[in-house]
Each structure stands twice: as C-alpha cells, then as structure tokens.
Amino acid sequence: MKYSGYAYIKTIGCQMNVYDSEKLAAILNSYGYEKTIDMDKADIVVCNTCSIRHKAEEKAFSFLGRFAKIKKKKPHLITVMAGCVAQQEGEKAFARVPHLDIVLGTQAFSRFGPIIDAIKSGKKKIVDIKNSAMIYEALPDTSCFEENKISKFVTIMQGCDNFCTYCVVPHVRGRERSRLPAAIIEEITLLAAAGVKEVTLLGQNVNSYGQKEAQISFPKLLAAVNDIAGIHRIRFATSHPKDLSSDLIYAIRDLDKVCSHLHLPVQSGSNKILKKMNRGYTREKYIDRILKLRKECPDIALSTDIIVGFPSETWEDFKDTMNLLREIEFDSIFAFAYSDRSSAPAARFSDQIDEDEKKERLNNLLELQEYYTGKKNKQQIGKILDVLVEGKSGKLRDGFDHVQKSMEQMVGRTQSNKIVHFPSKDVIIGDIIKIRIENAYPHSLWGHPQGA
Ligand code: SAH
Ligand code: SF4
Ligand code: F3S
C-alpha cells in the first residue's frame, strides 16, 4: 500500500545497523513515507536497536519511552522497535514499552511493509522475530537513496557461529549466512554508478565470508570488488583473528584499492581470559598473525577491540592486555568494560569484577593507548598521503586562522583511516588528493594539498 507521511529513524549500534536503517528507510519510502530529521513531524518512528552492552539496550528503551506522551496527542503515530534488542526481547518489549506497535527482529525486514499494512488496517501489536535466510536481496536497492554519499557500507554476510562467551550477536543476528557474490557485486556496481567511491564490506566475521556455503573465498571477493570501475577504496570489518589467512594478507598487500588498515579485535592479552572468552586463538597466535601482516604490508594501520573486566580477570591478566598494547602499538583501539548479557554464558561465570574496578582498568588502558595513537599520528608528519575528500569540516583548526578567508577547511581520510583536515578552495568531494601532513592532533591530522 501507499501512505503519505514522514518517517523518523534512530540508529543505535554498529555499522551493520547503519546499513540496515538505510534499507528500512528505503522500504518506508516505497510505502510513501518520506525520511525526516525532525522527530515532531514523524508519522512513523523506528528505533533500530543494539544489545551488545547494557548501556546500548537502555538507550533504545529510553528513546522509545519518550513517545508515550507524544502518541497520546498523535494516536496515528506508529512506533517500531527494530534490530537486535527487538530480536532479543520479542513479545517482552511491549511490557517495557506499552505504546509500542511493532517489534521487528533482525531477520524480519522483508516483511516490514505488510506489517505496516496490518497496523494501518487496525491490527495491534505485531511481533516478528522469525529466522530467515539472507534477507537483503528481497529489499529495495538503496544506491540512489541518499545523495552525495561517497562512502557506503555493504553487508556481505550476517550472523555469527563463534559464540564468544560474552556476546549476544549469535543470539540476535542468528547463524552465519553469506550473500551471493553476484548480488554483492551488483549492489556495489550500482553504488559506484551513483557516485560512491569507497565501500566498507560488513559482516560480524567478514573474513570467513563464503566458507560455510563453499562459495568464493573472501580474498577472491575482494579481488572481484577491486575490479569494479568507479570504486577507489575498499575497507572491511570485522575480521576475526582465527580466520586471518595468508591469502587475505596477500590480498591486502596486492589489491590496489584495498586500504592499508585492518581492524582485528583481540579482546584480551591474557591466554586464560581468551580461553574463557572462547576466542579460538592465543596471544602468541594473534601476535604471529600481526607479524606476518606487518612483514607483507609494512605500513598497515591496525586497530582493535578490547574488553576489560571479563569475569575472573585479575590484575595480572589485565597487565597482559596492557603489555600487548605496548608490544603491538595499535593505531587506535575501541575498549569496553565487560557488560553482562543474560543470553551469553559469561553472565553465569563466577568471579564477576566490580564496576569501579572495571572503570579503573578501562581508564588505565585508554590512557596508555592515547600515547600510542599520538605516536602513530606524529609519525605521519612530513609524509604526503592520499586523502579521500569527504566534505567540509565543522570545527576549525588553529592553523586555519592563518589561511586565506576564501578557503574552506575540508576533511578527508587517509587509507589508514586517519582523519585529515586541510584548507582548500577548489577540491571536489569524492576526489583523492595528496596532502602534505604538517601537524598531528590526538584524533586527527592537519596538512596542505601538495603544491599549495
Ligand atoms: N564480530 C566482532 C565484534 C562484534 S561486537 C568480533 O568478533 O570482534 C563489537 C565489540 O563489542 C566486540 O569486539 C567486543 O569488544 C565488544 N563486546 C561484545 N560483547 C560485549 C560485552 N558483553 N561487554 C562488553 N563489550 C562487548
Ligand atoms: Fe560476537 Fe565473537 Fe561473533 Fe564477534 S566473533 S560477533 S564477538 S560471538
Ligand atoms: Fe549491536 Fe546488533 Fe551490531 S547487537 S553491535 S547492532 S549486530
């Protein structure tokens, strides 16, 4: 059916949720709803949720909670909880958010349209958390949906079979499923035709792409994407250390469009904790992979995820993690205090760590990493780096005061995923230009276009 009105979409969580929200927006668009950034205008509100940690889950409930009052004044407003918390809670979501109309699980997107029709024709409170095979092929194409986008996410596989003991993902995203290579290539070709220059291939375990279905391997898929005209940069996330094959390392080394950056979550530097987490590798094996990677790709930037305060983590275990940061010198890290998730087994492990203690460890870790992030940024000074221009930047850097008023401060990214600010009056968004790096800040770089 076609309706008319506005849709407001709030996205919480990872890059896959960003991709999913675009799909939801495209479905709503095909049903006549125009996307709005003004919540007050909305006739349908969708919160695409994340349950990875307690805080993310609370954010979803508090966002949706705000609509209790609004719905009283505006009874036709449709409220939707989509994504990972929806999948996890199912029917129970109505107890916490009584005014909610739709609970749309992670695999129910292809049924979203008919569900809206049912609500419009008077049906109340619909839950769909049924499992489905890969869903994306059944959804509208989003290549022309958002204009002026130069960088896009493309989900190539969904779900996870690893069952790390702290993690909800296998429970909320289901078993690992890979999309067909032809569908991925078609989607990226459409994106390239719409002006997209950079794609980030997404999966919870992206480097095991295709293994289960015995279709082409991830390095072969990268090679196929590398051949798509118009695409200049390829990124991918998230890779699992246990599946970091030599073939993938060679693909990063040899494929010109694949960026020289790898996000490889280690989670802990202690073998005892890695075992309890069920990560499937040891500290030594992780380091061995990094050494191999650095041998083949000496300039590669590395980032990781760390959990501190996992049940039974002692100060000795934590020190092993601190020492791993010293040994590897990551370009950046994402660090989290362990959060109990009732569907994950670690919630029932003994020796849970006190919240204050977790916070202290987290602060120590972040402080240590700040040094290495700064060090890596400073190492860029004097280099001439390829920067993909993303747009005008908001906050002006000190150096900008000294340049001509006719210039704009622009922002872009290096291959290594570092943010670069620079002045220019004639660069085109989406171009890759050479920037001479002159200064380093904690989270960004500053420079001038070569020759300027
Ligand atoms: N598939 C990816 C990451 C998925 S979730 C991987 O395997 O690495 C993103 C990050 O959230 C994880 O890397 C982990 O560091 C963190 N995380 C997951 N569950 C968590 C929990 N229960 N508490 C705290 N952090 C968690
Ligand atoms: Fe979660 Fe582990 Fe799967 Fe990553 S590999 S999504 S941390 S279960
Ligand atoms: Fe969160 Fe679901 Fe992504 S739990 S991290 S939104 S897969």
Side-chain angles (χ1 to χ4, degrees):
M1 283 281 289
K2 269 271 193 206
Y3 309 100
S4 75
Y6 288 97
Y8 182 89
I9 302 181
K10 161 97 176 164
T11 306
I12 303 168
C14 64
Q15 297 168 330
M16 196 174 282
N17 266 15
V18 174
Y19 177 81
D20 286 353
S21 285
E22 263 189 38
K23 291 284 180 195
L24 291 173
I27 296 169
L28 287 167
N29 198 251
S30 70
Y31 273 69
Y33 288 101
E34 203 179 309
K35 205 169 150 183
T36 178
I37 51 165
D38 179 359
M39 216 189 289
D40 296 331
K41 261 170 79 175
D43 302 290
I44 181 162
V45 171
V46 180
C47 182
N48 196 11
T49 61
C50 172
S51 60
I52 200 81
R53 285 169 289 275
H54 180 70
K55 233 193 206 154
E57 192 177 308
E58 283 307 302
K59 212 163 147 188
F61 282 111
S62 94
F63 174 80
L64 284 163
R66 287 155 62 177
F67 291 91
K69 266 195 201 144
I70 302 171
K71 223 184 144 152
K72 281 212 177 101
K73 282 190 244 149
K74 207 179 181 182
H76 79 277
L77 176 71
I78 301 173
T79 51
V80 185
M81 177 192 266
C84 295
V85 180
Q87 187 70 33
Q88 174 184 285
E89 297 295 302
E91 194 78 39
K92 284 184 289 179
F94 294 125
R96 282 193 65 183
V97 191
H99 57 276
L100 195 60
D101 297 301
I102 300 170
V103 175
L104 192 76
T106 52
Q107 299 168 53
F109 290 11
S110 57
R111 299 179 290 272
F112 189 31
I115 291 173
I116 296 172
D117 286 337
I119 292 283
K120 280 285 194 186
S121 60
K123 211 165 172 260
K124 303 257 178 275
K125 307 216 173 299
I126 300 181
V127 182
D128 187 340
I129 50 168
K130 286 194 287 287
N131 289 344
S132 298
M134 187 45 74
I135 51 167
Y136 295 114
E137 276 43 281
L139 305 180
D141 155 39
T142 49
S143 60
C144 303
F145 198 63
E146 256 179 278
E147 285 170 20
N148 297 330
K149 268 287 214 173
I150 52 147
S151 182
K152 284 278 204 181
F153 299 127
V154 176
T155 292
I156 64 163
M157 48 113 64
Q158 212 197 154
C160 185
D161 293 348
N162 286 325
F163 291 94
C164 301
T165 53
Y166 51 81
C167 186
V168 292
V169 170
H171 310 279
V172 293
R173 286 274 176 183
R175 295 292 69 70
E176 191 176 297
R177 287 132 22 244
S178 292
R179 291 176 69 185
L180 288 170
I184 297 165
I185 299 299
E186 189 192 333
E187 182 167 337
I188 299 174
T189 306
L190 285 170
L191 291 174
V196 170
K197 309 285 182 207
E198 175 183 82
V199 285
T200 304
L201 309 181
L202 299 180
Q204 269 83 30
N205 207 348
V206 77
N207 52 336
S208 69
Y209 171 83
Q211 271 175 20
K212 212 167 155 181
E213 291 83 1
Q215 58 195 27
I216 69 169
S217 67
F218 185 57
K220 291 222 169 75
L221 180 74
L222 283 176
V225 178
N226 201 71
D227 286 340
I228 298 176
I231 295 297
H232 296 304
R233 283 187 172 178
I234 304 166
R235 301 184 186 278
F236 54 89
T238 298
S239 304
H240 195 295
K242 76 173 173 43
D243 296 320
L244 181 60
S245 66
S246 295
D247 279 351
L248 178 53
I249 294 176
Y250 302 142
I252 300 171
R253 182 193 64 190
D254 298 337
L255 296 170
D256 59 326
K257 297 177 183 174
V258 174
C259 287
S260 187
H261 167 229
L262 187 69
H263 182 62
L264 197 65
V266 65
Q267 313 298 358
S268 169
S270 149
N271 280 334
K272 178 192 101 187
I273 297 296
L274 286 172
K275 192 149 196 255
K276 291 198 169 188
M277 287 177 162
N278 190 32
R279 286 293 288 177
Y281 54 85
T282 58
R283 173 194 179 97
E284 292 73 27
K285 168 106 193 287
Y286 184 88
I287 293 173
D288 172 71
R289 291 284 78 194
I290 297 290
L291 289 176
K292 167 88 179 161
L293 191 63
R294 283 188 165 152
K295 181 165 166 263
E296 302 299 336
C297 318
D299 289 329
I300 196 158
L302 291 169
S303 54
T304 200
D305 290 348
I306 307 265
I307 297 177
V308 300
F310 186 79
S312 84
E313 183 189 72
T314 60
W315 264 97
E316 283 308 308
D317 296 317
F318 174 63
K319 274 201 246 157
D320 286 345
T321 303
M322 295 280 274
N323 282 330
L324 188 76
L325 296 198
R326 292 186 182 101
E327 193 169 340
I328 294 188
E329 302 196 353
F330 292 101
D331 290 72
S332 61
I333 66 165
F334 297 89
F336 313 99
Y338 166 75
S339 168
D340 251 349
R341 311 282 61 218
S342 58
S343 56
R348 287 165 293 283
F349 287 4
S350 54
D351 301 323
Q352 295 279 337
I353 310 295
D354 179 77
E355 287 305 322
D356 288 341
E357 179 72 36
K358 285 184 206 170
K359 243 182 236 157
E360 193 184 337
R361 290 182 196 180
L362 187 60
N363 288 338
N364 282 333
L365 194 85
L366 292 172
E367 201 179 310
L368 176 68
Q369 181 55 35
E370 222 167 86
Y371 168 75
Y372 290 108
T373 302
K375 179 177 169 183
K376 293 276 166 179
N377 281 352
K378 281 188 210 118
Q379 283 170 357
Q380 310 306 313
I381 297 176
K383 289 187 185 169
I384 292 172
L385 301 177
D386 285 339
V387 171
L388 174 61
V389 183
E390 291 180 354
K392 290 179 193 169
S393 61
K395 203 172 149 242
L396 295 186
R397 281 274 168 223
D398 302 345
F400 196 76
D401 298 339
H402 310 298
V403 299
Q404 279 172 276
K405 284 269 188 313
S406 61
M407 300 221 187
E408 296 271 11
Q409 183 179 279
M410 306 296 288
V411 66
R413 263 170 216 270
T414 63
Q415 272 215 42
S416 60
N417 212 24
K418 293 186 181 12
I419 294 169
V420 183
H421 298 276
F422 59 95
S424 178
K425 55 181 169 199
D426 50 11
V427 294
I428 297 169
I429 293 171
D431 275 359
I432 293 179
I433 59 167
K434 294 208 180 291
I435 302 281
R436 194 176 59 246
I437 305 300
E438 289 152 10
N439 217 339
Y441 298 92
H443 301 288
S444 65
L445 305 170
W446 164 265
H448 279 84
Q450 196 182 23

